[in-house]
Amino acid sequence: MFRAAAEAETVHAHNHLKVLKGINGTEENLKQAIAGEVEEFKEMYPAFIEVAKEENNKEALWTFDVANQVEEIHADLYQKALDSLGENVEVSYYVCNFCGNTVEKDAPDLCPICGAPKSEFTKID
Ligand SMILES: [Fe+2]
Ligand SMILES: [Fe+2]
């Protein structure tokens, strides 16, 4: 039920985004995605991390810290895609079930961000 609702919410989000003219060509989409990730790891998450530290909330701090590291990885992946736009490149991606780390080609033996084992990576088709 929740997956069905999530799918419906994705349809709604795409509808809203179309009205806002937020869906463009791949090059523009990638540039906007990079800008979003950069804002997240340079501004948004560092501010969240500061508040978590001030409040001595270690659990929140962990989630913000790993997300912050992964957003930088996403920016790099998008940049790589932008740089190879038009080339016929096929890459597999794996996502860490604990921290969201996103890697190309093959899952590492241990997640470099959170230490999770290879078996905790999900291949994205
Ligand atoms: Fe991201
Ligand atoms: Fe991880």
Side-chain angles (χ1 to χ4, degrees), residues 62-93:
W62 185 85
T63 67
F64 296 148
D65 179 51
V66 298
N68 194 45
Q69 293 181 62
V70 175
E71 304 313 358
E72 190 164 0
I73 290 168
H74 290 167
D76 289 343
L77 291 173
Y78 292 153
Q79 185 63 56
K80 220 166 154 180
L82 184 60
D83 292 344
S84 61
L85 206 60
E87 295 171 25
N88 193 7
V89 181
E90 207 168 301
V91 184
S92 298
Y93 295 95

Side-chain angles (χ1 to χ4, degrees), residues 14 19 26 41 45 52 56 64-65 77 83-84 87 112 114 125:
H14 284 153
V19 171
T26 303
F41 78 77
Y45 279 118
N56 199 27
F64 296 148
D65 179 51
L77 291 173
D83 292 344
S84 61
E87 295 171 25
C114 76
D125 294 317

Side-chain angles (χ1 to χ4, degrees), residues 62 96-101 111-116 121:
W62 185 85
C96 175
N97 295 331
F98 290 101
C99 73
N101 185 16
C111 178
I113 292 180
C114 76
F121 276 77

